[in-house]
Amino acid sequence: MQRVTIADVARHAGVSTATVSRALSGGRKVSSDVAERVREAARELGYEVNPIARALRVSRTDTVGMVVPSIRNPFFTALVESVEHALGADGKELLLCDAQSDPATEAKRLDALVTRNVDGIIVSPCHGTDSTPAVQRTAERLPLVQLDRFVGGTSTDWVGVDDIAAMRAVVEHVRDGGARSAAYLGARLTNSSSELRHAGFLRHADEIGVETGPQWTLLGDYSVEWGERAVGLLADSGRLPDALVCADDLIALGAVRACRTRGITVPDRIQVTGFDNIEFTRLAEPPLTTVDQPTRRIADEAVRLLGDAAGGPAARDAAHVALVPKLVVRDSTRTG
Amino acid sequence: MQRVTIADVARHAGVSTATVSRALSGGRKVSSDVAERVREAARELGYEVNPIARALRVSRTDTVGMVVPSIRNPFFTALVESVEHALGADGKELLLCDAQSDPATEAKRLDALVTRNVDGIIVSPCHGTDSTPAVQRTAERLPLVQLDRFVGGTSTDWVGVDDIAAMRAVVEHVRDGGARSAAYLGARLTNSSSELRHAGFLRHADEIGVETGPQWTLLGDYSVEWGERAVGLLADSGRLPDALVCADDLIALGAVRACRTRGITVPDRIQVTGFDNIEFTRLAEPPLTTVDQPTRRIADEAVRLLGDAAGGPAARDAAHVALVPKLVVRDSTRTG
DNA sequence: AATTCACGGGCAATCGATTACACCGACGTC
DNA sequence: GACGTCGGTGTAATCGATTGCCCGTGAATT
């Protein structure tokens, strides 16, 4: 039951612990016969380094912390899965925290991760301004990359998609489908992606002459319920636009559902689009046109950036990597 | 930038490190004025214990490892969220691993967690027999509780729901809705819940006189695609049963979707049930009748068991906690 | 008054690995 | 033949906290 330590291996191989360490972790050269003898001894005894002891000595834990607003949201789930996958390839572990969409909880979790000496932190901050202090002070102590969303007032690495470009693709697509007007169902502008998607929508709709309006801009939160409710508000308020551009898939799923129950046909009477391409968009009635987020690439990029930053803190300028997302056309919009 | 150590605090407060440790962690008594001085010094310097150093000394990490077959599956996502929540209350962190539904990966992750000295492991094994060796040897070294599923040939703590009882409720419910026959759309019997749900279905259908049959028992995997495909097979094979009892919600979602596209009305022509009560069952057309898994309570119970086991390993008999799940009736079945 | 005893506190070992430094023999150079 | 040099190895310090053991003090007990 007692763990095998490096001293046991040393004794068994008839060398010092220093040699064992060097033979196994390869710090400096060791003659090949001794190295072989050590490896042999280690194998026989079933030795494995104790990561705790190593971490204490070298202050590196091979562990990355990740904080997401809510793992319940399938988009973040996909992100977590991708990050876990990317880390696994590097032999690193993932310490996962859920911020419960609350900046205070988020701050606590970030501090806990710093205290735990993780090698780096991947965070999708839940709030654009309230999350700033915690993210800021965390980034001063550790390599940190923000994912998808980012907070104002700091400059750390960031990886996400180009929300503005994505929204242009969406608006042009529904215009091509014949929409002359569009409503925006979004989330309150408390974080960067909410803001950018909203801004991108308005800007491009304006540019290509799709009618919008304040009464057609409804901001709530990222949830199915809000999507349903927003359609209710819209329907009760008089004139209906030709398209509903939603800030994420949950809202869009709610919107589509509300349309069905009210007898508003999708996409014939009204086109609907989502954002994120979560798995269940395929299952909606009708399947949702949406914007695919390349979570795999986002995660890979984030892990790569963390690795780079491991060298020196803030040794280089912050990198902002904006991937270009793809529009996924399904049946909730008209084509041709 | 340098971290504050216990020695700094000791110097600042004019006492020894031993006293600081005792004053803060309260191992032994310290006079109240000294304690106050130490706390004051710690506060001023912004001292926080180094969990790595402590872990090395006391071999306890305040970290729990969790391994799930696939975090992509919303049921496991919910479980992870609940566990994270329950641990947070205890000031413990969660080391999350995804086994990618592969026993070999699962084994690797379990070993990694053991090596990392987590205090305990929560695992939902992906395979009923292939996962046994890894779970077995892990349980010999650490407190371990299995969640939802369990492997054969070991006896560790387990928390889940009573699948058999759940299936009785399901079968009786569709019978009450008028079904005289039912097909079972499940997953290959490679793990305990697959087996138990299948067995429960057959047993109770038989008992209450609902017709079943080998041609109406289709086993694939837990996925939407399989649900769709299975309905295709069923439809092509001649006679359709009055109900489709599915082993999980993903299958049921696929089934409902396939029924729609084939013009088989749900629930009028055929009733459909799911299992797990994942969030998207509400969104299906029609919303799915399913079995609710009390993930919160499952997680709480699991964390509690881990805590108990922390004392001595195998100091007591393995506990098997089977919670009784609730049937959630929606519109994919007939009532009355 | 002598002996215990409880209490509060310090010294130093300890957890298990890494690594700076010292050492030693062999080899090459002048 | 004396003197670097270099590759390989060992010794011991180190990371930061916890804790077994010991000591001195003052109160309680006999």
Side-chain angles (χ1 to χ4, degrees):
Chain A
M1 190 59 218
Q2 270 310 333
R3 265 181 95 118
V4 182
T5 76
I6 198 172
D8 299 325
V9 178
R11 209 171 309 122
H12 198 261
V15 296
S16 73
T17 61
T19 301
V20 174
S21 174
R22 292 197 269 254
L24 297 179
S25 312
R28 250 171 51 185
K29 253 179 222 140
V30 171
S31 71
S32 56
D33 55 334
V34 172
E36 184 43 45
R37 214 164 69 233
V38 169
R39 272 195 296 272
E40 176 59 23
R43 194 169 337 113
E44 271 181 38
L45 271 49
Y47 169 76
E48 279 179 325
V49 302
N50 180 332
I52 309 275
R54 163 183 282 164
L56 178 59
R57 183 62 228 253
V58 305
S59 41
R60 187 169 44 75
T61 50
D62 291 328
T63 301
V64 167
M66 181 166 184
V67 184
V68 295
S70 164
I71 199 191
R72 243 338 177 344
N73 184 324
F75 167 62
F76 290 115
T77 304
L79 224 37
V80 169
E81 190 199 20
S82 300
V83 167
E84 211 264 350
H85 193 264
L87 288 176
D90 284 18
K92 291 176 179 299
E93 301 292 326
L94 176 67
L95 220 34
L96 178 70
C97 303
D98 186 312
Q100 300 170 69
S101 297
D102 169 36
T105 308
E106 186 178 61
K108 244 181 260 155
R109 307 320 242 110
L110 284 172
D111 286 345
L113 289 174
V114 171
T115 301
R116 293 228 166 205
N117 261 48
V118 294
D119 296 341
I121 291 186
I122 294 177
V123 56
S124 194
C126 54
H127 196 282
T129 53
D130 295 356
S131 294
T132 301
V135 169
Q136 175 69 30
R137 79 164 170 271
T138 304
E140 280 161 12
R141 298 171 111 311
L142 283 180
L144 178 149
V145 12
Q146 301 186 70
L147 232 52
D148 185 54
R149 309 172 175 182
F150 55 89
V151 299
T154 64
S155 85
T156 74
D157 288 346
W158 171 81
V159 185
V161 298
D162 185 337
D163 286 312
I164 303 237
M167 274 302 170
R168 176 171 53 207
V170 167
V171 174
E172 286 177 351
H173 174 68
V174 295
R175 193 265 323 264
D176 292 349
R180 331 220 90 223
S181 62
Y184 182 78
L185 308 194
R188 279 179 293 278
L189 308 177
T190 56
N191 65 60
S192 61
S193 29
S194 300
E195 285 170 26
L196 291 175
R197 290 174 195 177
H198 178 244
F201 167 77
L202 288 182
R203 183 196 304 173
H204 293 118
D206 209 46
E207 268 178 32
I208 65 175
V210 167
E211 182 190 353
T212 63
Q215 80 286 5
W216 281 346
T217 299
L218 304 178
L219 304 181
D221 54 21
Y222 291 114
S223 73
V224 175
E225 290 73 20
W226 165 240
E228 298 191 67
R229 200 138 47 80
V231 167
L233 296 173
L234 224 43
D236 294 348
S237 79
R239 198 159 70 93
L240 226 49
D242 300 338
L244 299 179
V245 172
C246 304
D248 93 335
D249 287 335
L250 296 177
I251 298 175
L253 287 171
V256 162
R257 184 168 167 66
C259 286
R260 285 191 70 80
T261 61
R262 286 168 186 269
I264 306 171
T265 60
V266 176
D268 293 336
R269 171 60 190 89
I270 201 166
Q271 303 184 63
V272 178
T273 66
F275 203 113
D276 287 346
N277 193 24
I278 64 175
E279 197 176 350
F280 292 93
T281 50
R282 285 194 316 112
L283 294 181
E285 268 302 322
L288 230 52
T289 291
T290 186
V291 175
D292 182 65
Q293 294 232 38
T295 56
R296 216 85 205 195
R297 285 191 51 208
I298 293 177
D300 287 349
E301 203 63 30
V303 170
R304 194 182 59 73
L305 284 175
L306 271 192
D308 291 358
R316 55 174 175 58
D317 294 336
H320 285 209
V321 181
L323 303 172
V324 178
K326 260 197 343 279
L327 192 68
V328 177
V329 178
R330 297 207 185 89
D331 306 336
S332 67
T333 52
R334 281 194 299 271
T335 64
Chain B
M1 191 58 217
Q2 272 308 336
R3 266 181 94 120
V4 183
T5 75
I6 199 172
D8 300 325
V9 178
R11 210 170 309 123
H12 199 260
V15 295
S16 73
T17 60
T19 303
V20 174
S21 174
R22 294 198 265 253
L24 297 179
S25 312
R28 244 173 50 186
K29 251 178 225 141
V30 172
S31 72
S32 56
D33 52 337
V34 172
E36 183 45 44
R37 215 163 69 232
V38 169
R39 271 194 297 271
E40 176 60 23
R43 194 169 336 115
E44 271 181 38
L45 272 48
Y47 170 77
E48 278 178 324
V49 301
N50 180 332
I52 309 276
R54 162 183 284 163
L56 178 60
R57 184 62 229 256
V58 306
S59 43
R60 186 168 45 75
T61 51
D62 291 328
T63 302
V64 167
M66 179 166 186
V67 183
V68 295
S70 165
I71 197 192
R72 234 3 177 322
N73 184 324
F75 167 62
F76 291 116
T77 304
L79 224 37
V80 169
E81 191 198 19
S82 299
V83 167
E84 212 265 349
H85 194 263
L87 288 176
D90 284 18
K92 291 177 180 298
E93 303 291 326
L94 177 67
L95 220 34
L96 178 70
C97 302
D98 186 310
Q100 299 169 69
S101 298
D102 168 36
T105 310
E106 185 179 61
K108 245 181 258 157
R109 309 316 244 113
L110 284 172
D111 286 345
L113 289 174
V114 171
T115 301
R116 293 228 166 205
N117 261 51
V118 295
D119 295 342
I121 290 186
I122 295 177
V123 56
S124 194
C126 54
H127 197 283
T129 53
D130 295 354
S131 294
T132 301
V135 169
Q136 176 69 30
R137 79 164 170 271
T138 304
E140 279 161 12
R141 299 172 110 308
L142 283 180
L144 178 149
V145 11
Q146 300 187 73
L147 232 52
D148 185 52
R149 309 170 176 183
F150 54 89
V151 300
T154 63
S155 86
T156 74
D157 287 346
W158 170 82
V159 185
V161 299
D162 185 336
D163 286 311
I164 302 235
M167 274 303 170
R168 176 171 56 208
V170 167
V171 175
E172 286 178 351
H173 174 68
V174 296
R175 192 263 326 262
D176 292 350
R180 333 219 90 222
S181 61
Y184 182 77
L185 308 193
R188 278 179 294 277
L189 308 178
T190 56
N191 64 60
S192 61
S193 30
S194 299
E195 285 170 26
L196 292 175
R197 290 174 195 176
H198 178 245
F201 167 77
L202 288 182
R203 182 195 306 172
H204 292 118
D206 209 46
E207 268 178 33
I208 66 176
V210 167
E211 181 193 353
T212 64
Q215 79 287 8
W216 281 347
T217 298
L218 303 178
L219 304 182
D221 54 20
Y222 292 113
S223 73
V224 175
E225 291 72 21
W226 164 240
E228 298 191 69
R229 200 139 47 81
V231 167
L233 296 173
L234 225 42
D236 294 348
S237 79
R239 198 158 71 94
L240 226 49
D242 299 338
L244 299 178
V245 172
C246 304
D248 94 335
D249 287 336
L250 295 177
I251 297 174
L253 287 171
V256 163
R257 184 168 166 64
C259 287
R260 284 191 71 80
T261 61
R262 288 171 183 267
I264 307 171
T265 59
V266 176
D268 293 335
R269 171 61 192 85
I270 200 166
Q271 303 185 63
V272 178
T273 66
F275 204 112
D276 286 348
N277 193 22
I278 66 175
E279 197 176 349
F280 293 93
T281 49
R282 285 195 314 111
L283 294 180
E285 269 303 320
L288 230 53
T289 291
T290 186
V291 176
D292 182 65
Q293 294 233 36
T295 57
R296 218 85 205 194
R297 283 190 53 210
I298 293 177
D300 287 349
E301 203 63 30
V303 170
R304 193 181 61 73
L305 285 175
L306 272 192
D308 290 359
R316 55 176 175 59
D317 294 336
H320 285 209
V321 180
L323 303 172
V324 178
K326 258 196 346 278
L327 192 69
V328 177
V329 178
R330 298 208 183 90
D331 306 337
S332 67
T333 52
R334 281 194 299 271
T335 64

